[in-house]
Structures are given as structure tokens and as C-alpha cells.
Amino acid sequence: HVQLVESGGGSVQPGGSLRLSCLANEYTYSSYCMGWFRQAPGKEREGVASIDGNNRTSYADSVKGRFTISKDNAKNTLFLQMNALKPEDTSTYYCAADFYGLGDGTAALKPKYNYWGQGTQVTVS
């Protein structure tokens, strides 16, 4: 059973940085598409960034140039480096693995993944 565990969330002032990590207990990161999502209270889950098996990345327009998704296959860990944080980035962030939707690129920003982490809170204020 695949389990994803996020860490690295916290509180930061506007303009600050955080680095989120997502560790899998058993998963081959190298071949599969993975993503980061966020969901604020009362809002739909939003795709933030994705990375596929060839390390091609996609980003939501709201985070382009500020966030960077990456992965360390040897450590089964997915990362999200978040810089120049804004109050509107405040949300619970989730990692996801094994995209089952159709298409690539920004299609992977849709929440069609088989595995999800429990989420980590990011507060920017």
C-alpha cells in the first residue's frame, strides 16, 4: 500500500520561502507523474505543479517563476520549493502520485491521481 507523507509546511511572512517534501513508503518515483496540489477552506483543490517520468514540469500560472517542483528518485522524495510567498498561497498542500488522467503537461494539474498524502499547512501572513 503506497503512503505519501508531506512535511515542511509552516508559517512564513510574505516574501519568504518554504520547501515541502513528500516521502513515499514504497513507490518508484522515476516512472510516474507526480504533483502538488493545494486546497483552502471552501475552495476546490487546485493543481500547483507536476513532474512526469521524464522530469518535464508544469505549473499553475499563479506560481510560475516562484515555485519549483523536483524529485529525488533515489530517496523516493518529491519536493516543492516555494519562494516569494504571498498571502494567497496560504492553503493545505498535498502531494499526489500516479496520474491516471489523459494528456500531459498542464493536464497533470487536474486532481486525477491514485495516491494522496495527508496534507501540510502553509500559512503566509
Side-chain angles (χ1 to χ4, degrees):
H1 178 63
V2 175
Q3 290 183 317
L4 305 175
V5 180
E6 301 97 335
S7 61
S11 296
V12 65
Q13 293 182 343
S17 297
L18 285 173
R19 188 192 197 201
L20 304 183
S21 299
C22 175
L23 176 64
N25 64 331
E26 55 173 86
Y27 198 72
T28 303
Y29 273 33
S30 60
S31 300
Y32 296 94
C33 184
M34 303 190 68
W36 284 100
F37 290 77
R38 64 187 182 187
Q39 188 169 21
K43 295 187 176 181
E44 293 187 354
R45 188 162 295 191
E46 172 192 20
V48 175
S50 67
I51 184 167
D52 69 11
N54 292 315
N55 288 328
R56 291 174 299 189
T57 58
S58 294
Y59 295 93
D61 288 342
S62 58
V63 306
K64 281 182 181 177
R66 299 188 298 122
F67 290 12
T68 303
I69 187 172
S70 62
K71 59 182 178 177
D72 185 331
N73 294 329
K75 296 182 178 180
N76 269 8
T77 304
L78 180 72
F79 300 102
L80 185 67
Q81 178 66 43
M82 305 186 294
N83 298 328
L85 283 161
K86 304 175 181 180
E88 51 263 43
D89 295 318
T90 295
S91 193
T92 300
Y93 284 73
Y94 301 88
C95 71
D98 194 11
F99 179 67
Y100 64 82
L102 298 178
D104 54 14
T106 56
L109 296 180
K110 296 181 180 178
K112 296 184 177 181
Y113 287 78
N114 283 315
Y115 304 108
W116 292 86
Q118 84 290 346
T120 186
Q121 178 67 35
V122 171
T123 302
V124 185
S125 64

